[in-house]
């Protein structure tokens, strides 16, 4: 069984992707603002760091996949929050979880 961390797991593309991967037998570690395995605010550095640490704890340092679906739309104010989640959220999770991916079996990441 592979372990995949997935941000934006609560709604939209992230929720659909999590459901499809789980149906194929993958273990999903969902990351979202609420109602997820890991509840974290990806709009600030502390929230992103906490998400990385919690994923590492839940996967024991080994990830087979990373799907970064968390994102905010143009309606969100302030607009800087969009960049914090959509860009820095993806970059910081990818950077922080790269060592765990390097320990996985044929690991991959999708942004």
């Amino acid at each position: 069984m592979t372990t995949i961390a997935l941000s934006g797991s609560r709604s939209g593309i992230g929720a659909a992707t999590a459901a499809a991967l789980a149906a194929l037998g993958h273990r999903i570690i969902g990351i979202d603002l609420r109602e997820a395995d890991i509840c974290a605010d990806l709009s600030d550095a502390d929230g992103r760091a906490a998400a990385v640490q919690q994923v590492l704890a839940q996967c024991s340092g080994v990830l087979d996949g990373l799907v970064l679906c968390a994102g905010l739309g143009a309606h969100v104010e302030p607009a800087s929050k969009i960049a914090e989640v959509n860009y820095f959220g993806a970059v910081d999770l990818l950077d922080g979880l790269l060592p765990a991916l390097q320990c996985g079996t044929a690991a991959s990441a999708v942004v």
Side-chain angles (χ1 to χ4, degrees), residues 1-2 4 16-28:
M1 172 173 60
T2 61
I4 300 170
T17 302
L21 290 170
L24 293 171
H26 300 284
R27 174 182 171 227
I28 305 301

Side-chain angles (χ1 to χ4, degrees), residues 11-97:
S11 64
I13 293 170
T17 302
L21 290 170
L24 293 171
H26 300 284
R27 174 182 171 227
I28 305 301
I29 300 172
I31 307 163
D32 213 305
L33 193 54
R34 56 191 165 278
E35 298 176 31
D37 301 307
I38 295 171
C39 295
D41 184 353
L42 300 182
S43 71
D44 71 36
D46 290 339
R48 295 187 295 269
V52 167
Q53 291 308 308
Q54 290 177 58
V55 169
L56 292 172
Q58 287 195 25
C59 73
S60 300
V62 179
L63 272 180
D64 301 299
L66 179 59
V67 180
L68 299 171
C69 286
L72 301 176
H75 65 283
V76 173
E77 293 289 335
S80 60
K81 195 169 217 168
I82 298 167
E84 289 291 335
V85 172
N86 297 11
Y87 177 76
F88 292 109
V91 169
D92 288 354
L93 289 179
L94 186 56
D95 284 348
L97 296 172

